[in-house]
Amino acid sequence: MKRKNTSSIKTERATLALKVVMILLFFSGIVTFFYPFLASAVNSFHDQSVIEKFQRDYALLNENQKKERMDEIANENKKLLEDNKLTNIPGMGLIEDPFESSLENIQNVEKSYFRKHMLGAIFIPTINVSLPLYDETNDVLLDNGATLLQGTSYPIGGPSTHSVITGHSGLPDKRIFTDLNKLKKGDMFYIEILDEKLAYRIETFQTVLPTQLNSLKIIDNQDLVTLITCTPYMVNTHRLLVTGVRVPYSDNKIEKQKNGTTNYLNFRMIFLSLLFLILFVISLYKIFRIVIYYKSTKRLYELEFRVQKNKTSLAGVPYYLSKNKIDYKNGNVEGIDFRISGTDGKVNFGRKLGGRYYIYTISDRSHPLFLADIMSLKGDAFTVRVKKHRLFMDKKNSSHYSIRNGE
């Protein structure tokens, strides 16, 4: 008899340990699945904070400082026109492909580095993109937003300018330009740089090799911006060029679109964070309940309750106690103990080892199934409750049951 009890205890321990492992594996799977989405959402939320801080800091500059910065950028654009209207683009022998170059001279990059190189922001509402825009392309800046390809026009608008803005695609924790291939002709994107707000309508798409970028030259009297990223997704053998032509900036409509993008990104971060937190709490609770279950099986608790049907105490009703779910279809309705309710509706099964028990009756098919659990190790009695899913109630004649622990 002792051997049987010892074997049963070992089996129960193994079952509980397996449940804990399964919960941990489930949560690990959830973390693995949700990480790219949550990380992307958090990074997008951070991008909005960076953009807002830049806008606040720029607003604090005096007019002379703003004019000096704008004149400096405008002069850089003029120099490009003097150079035979060419841009220093990859494939023309002046700099390497932006997605294959490395930043060897910068280590332990500080926030001041990003502030120094930040120009403004780019918004693409159709694909919910809202990114900081930096003034040169390198590994560090590419990992933190969109970047202006050095040697191309600064995106401040004006005839005979052609800005090239680069962005990564396929990063595990950031979207950046991953969805650029989902854009269509006629879609809009917007650029805010210093005091300028510019709108561009997408006109052309090209997929080319990294060395075939002649279409990025400046064109007489045209105000162009080309967005560039790697393609195909995760293969990156080619470059996707999405070129937009400047159109008038309509404040009300555009601000509404930009705000919609920002709100979407913020909502996504909050929603995914809450969902992740809820799943984490549920997993912890499940493990906590398993620990309570295991510890409660070491001692005895009082199992007693009173039951009423339509506010009338049930007397003379046989109740069965079982450690397993009831299988009525196969006629398995046996229990490990049996009691009959008294005139006051009280049912007393005495002191039982902790854990979970199922309490049922076969005298009336409309009775619900009761559960007896140990909810806290501090108490001395089981908590008895009605199982929400009434396995064998007659739906046509369902009755209201009230149940409370015995006194």
Side-chain angles (χ1 to χ4, degrees), residues 318-369:
Y319 285 96
Y320 295 83
L321 189 70
S322 174
K323 287 291 290 182
N324 302 309
K325 290 184 179 180
I326 313 307
D327 185 7
Y328 283 97
K329 292 182 178 180
N330 298 322
N332 180 17
V333 292
E334 297 180 355
I336 60 174
D337 206 344
F338 170 78
R339 292 290 189 274
I340 297 177
S341 61
T343 56
D344 57 356
K346 181 184 287 188
V347 182
N348 190 336
F349 282 100
R351 296 178 68 79
K352 300 292 182 184
L353 287 173
R356 165 173 282 194
Y357 294 88
Y358 297 87
I359 304 167
Y360 65 99
T361 176
I362 59 172
S363 65
D364 186 345
R365 300 291 288 181
S366 66
H367 283 299
L369 179 69

Side-chain angles (χ1 to χ4, degrees), residues 93-140:
L94 296 175
I95 65 172
E96 298 177 357
D97 178 72
F99 300 106
E100 295 181 356
S101 62
S102 62
L103 189 64
E104 300 176 352
N105 298 325
I106 298 178
Q107 297 178 351
N108 302 321
V109 177
E110 298 180 355
K111 291 183 178 179
S112 58
Y113 176 79
F114 297 103
R115 289 196 297 268
K116 175 183 176 182
H117 289 280
M118 191 165 176
L119 282 174
I122 179 169
F123 305 90
I124 314 176
T126 304
I127 55 175
N128 294 306
V129 164
S130 175
L131 293 168
L133 177 59
Y134 298 100
D135 65 1
E136 68 176 57
T137 297
N138 59 52
D139 283 353
V140 172

Side-chain angles (χ1 to χ4, degrees), residues 103-376:
L103 189 64
E104 300 176 352
N105 298 325
I106 298 178
Q107 297 178 351
N108 302 321
V109 177
E110 298 180 355
K111 291 183 178 179
S112 58
Y113 176 79
F114 297 103
R115 289 196 297 268
K116 175 183 176 182
H117 289 280
M118 191 165 176
L119 282 174
I122 179 169
F123 305 90
I124 314 176
T126 304
I127 55 175
N128 294 306
V129 164
S130 175
L131 293 168
L133 177 59
Y134 298 100
D135 65 1
E136 68 176 57
T137 297
N138 59 52
D139 283 353
V140 172
L141 297 178
L142 273 172
D143 284 342
N144 286 274
T147 64
L148 176 69
L149 185 57
Q150 49 267 56
T152 67
S153 306
Y154 280 84
I156 57 174
S160 302
T161 59
H162 193 166
S163 303
V164 179
I165 297 176
T166 63
H168 273 312
S169 61
L171 296 181
D173 57 349
K174 298 178 182 180
R175 301 298 294 174
I176 305 185
F177 279 179
T178 297
D179 295 327
L180 217 59
N181 61 341
K182 296 180 181 179
L183 294 172
K184 298 177 181 178
K185 183 176 180 179
D187 286 339
M188 301 291 296
F189 63 88
Y190 310 105
I191 295 173
E192 289 188 8
I193 175 170
L194 306 182
D195 281 332
E196 296 292 332
K197 293 183 178 181
L198 313 174
Y200 290 84
R201 184 182 62 243
I202 295 173
E203 293 293 335
T204 62
F205 295 82
Q206 296 182 68
T207 300
V208 300
L209 291 171
T211 55
Q212 298 174 330
L213 302 179
N214 289 331
S215 60
L216 300 183
K217 293 180 179 180
I218 293 173
I219 300 176
D220 277 334
N221 297 317
Q222 289 200 27
D223 187 338
L224 306 174
V225 171
T226 294
L227 312 179
I228 180 172
T229 193
C230 299
T231 195
Y233 182 76
M234 299 300 290
V235 179
N236 304 335
T237 54
H238 290 66
R239 301 293 176 258
L240 173 64
L241 311 181
V242 180
T243 300
V245 177
R246 188 177 176 186
V247 295
Y249 191 97
S250 175
D251 280 325
N252 293 334
K253 180 180 178 181
I254 293 173
E255 289 302 319
K256 185 176 181 180
Q257 289 180 333
K258 285 164 48 183
N259 291 337
T261 297
T262 301
N263 292 337
Y264 166 82
L265 295 173
N266 292 340
F267 172 80
R268 183 182 64 163
M269 193 278 294
I270 294 171
F271 173 77
L272 290 176
S273 297
L274 286 176
L275 181 60
F276 182 83
L277 179 62
I278 290 171
L279 291 172
F280 176 70
V281 171
I282 290 174
S283 298
L284 286 182
Y285 177 75
K286 291 289 186 182
I287 293 175
F288 171 75
R289 290 304 308 159
I290 290 174
V291 172
I292 293 292
Y293 179 92
Y294 175 73
K295 289 186 175 181
S296 71
T297 58
K298 305 293 185 181
R299 51 175 286 206
L300 297 171
Y301 296 84
E302 192 71 27
L303 179 45
E304 181 182 79
F305 62 92
R306 296 174 187 268
V307 65
Q308 292 180 326
K309 180 179 180 181
N310 295 327
K311 299 183 179 180
T312 300
S313 297
L314 294 179
V317 180
Y319 285 96
Y320 295 83
L321 189 70
S322 174
K323 287 291 290 182
N324 302 309
K325 290 184 179 180
I326 313 307
D327 185 7
Y328 283 97
K329 292 182 178 180
N330 298 322
N332 180 17
V333 292
E334 297 180 355
I336 60 174
D337 206 344
F338 170 78
R339 292 290 189 274
I340 297 177
S341 61
T343 56
D344 57 356
K346 181 184 287 188
V347 182
N348 190 336
F349 282 100
R351 296 178 68 79
K352 300 292 182 184
L353 287 173
R356 165 173 282 194
Y357 294 88
Y358 297 87
I359 304 167
Y360 65 99
T361 176
I362 59 172
S363 65
D364 186 345
R365 300 291 288 181
S366 66
H367 283 299
L369 179 69
F370 300 148
L371 294 178
D373 287 292
I374 299 300
M375 304 307 293
S376 172

